[in-house]
Amino acid sequence: MIKEKLEYLIKKFYLKYLISVALTITSIYFWITFADSNFLDIVGVIINISGLIIWWVAKLTLAENWNMGFGKPKINQLVTHGLYSKIRHPMYWGVNLTLIGLILLYPEFWFFIISLLIIIYFFSRMRVEDTYLSDKLGKEYRDYKEKTWI
């Protein structure tokens, strides 16, 4: 019941973009505030921007097949076009790259720990979704896994 109400609110107020927009704005803030011309900062910005691009493209490609990433996964159809034709979980990889880039820009211990916990969560979420999709779609998903990179 609570999950249905939360999903209703998310759809009603377009909150499914809130986290993406917030992380994009946070990234821009970090670029402006912390980026210098040193090598690590430049690498951090490049990784961060790459992650954001991958994340946004994957999110827009998934469209209605995307849920908020909590609870049990759900699927309307297997998406195998765009980034999903090459990478199995581009949205999660995009988030992880975005955070890795931010860690390089803002190498504070507390920020590293929080980001690491989020990255670990997304790796575990990838495994949960792989298991769910293998069970639900069987051979179709196993064939898809063989054609894609992680």
Side-chain angles (χ1 to χ4, degrees):
M1 183 76 155
I2 293 173
K3 184 178 177 184
E4 288 83 16
K5 286 182 181 181
L6 185 58
E7 286 177 356
Y8 170 76
L9 289 174
I10 288 167
K11 286 180 182 177
K12 181 175 180 181
F13 296 107
Y14 300 100
L15 295 177
K16 65 182 180 178
Y17 295 106
L18 180 65
I19 295 171
S20 305
V21 169
L23 194 54
T24 301
I25 291 169
T26 302
S27 294
I28 293 168
Y29 169 77
F30 275 68
W31 303 339
I32 294 167
T33 308
F34 297 105
D36 290 326
S37 296
N38 68 47
F39 178 74
L40 225 69
D41 287 350
I42 292 169
V43 170
V45 168
I46 291 169
I47 292 171
N48 180 264
I49 290 172
S50 300
L52 286 171
I53 291 169
I54 291 169
W55 188 16
W56 275 103
V57 169
K59 186 176 187 54
L60 295 173
T61 302
L62 266 183
E64 293 302 315
N65 284 304
W66 182 77
N67 66 8
M68 285 296 292
F70 56 83
K72 190 173 185 173
K74 67 178 184 177
I75 183 171
N76 297 331
Q77 69 180 32
L78 183 61
V79 176
T80 59
H81 61 278
L83 283 176
Y84 287 86
S85 67
K86 306 291 181 212
I87 304 171
R88 232 181 358 264
H89 300 286
M91 214 160 101
Y92 296 143
W93 283 105
V95 172
N96 289 344
L97 287 173
T98 299
L99 290 171
I100 290 167
L102 290 178
I103 289 168
L104 293 174
L105 284 170
Y106 188 70
E108 294 290 326
F109 182 74
W110 68 270
F111 188 75
F112 172 79
I113 296 299
I114 291 170
S115 297
L116 184 63
L117 291 173
I118 294 169
I119 289 168
I120 290 169
Y121 167 75
F122 281 120
F123 276 113
S124 70
R125 184 73 185 178
M126 285 183 219
R127 289 174 30 162
V128 166
E129 288 187 12
D130 272 341
T131 302
Y132 173 78
L133 293 170
S134 287
D135 292 345
K136 179 135 177 124
L137 300 176
K139 183 171 174 16
E140 178 185 9
Y141 189 70
R142 286 190 297 276
D143 291 345
Y144 169 70
K145 280 175 70 170
E146 289 178 13
K147 296 176 187 173
T148 56
W149 182 70
I150 39 183

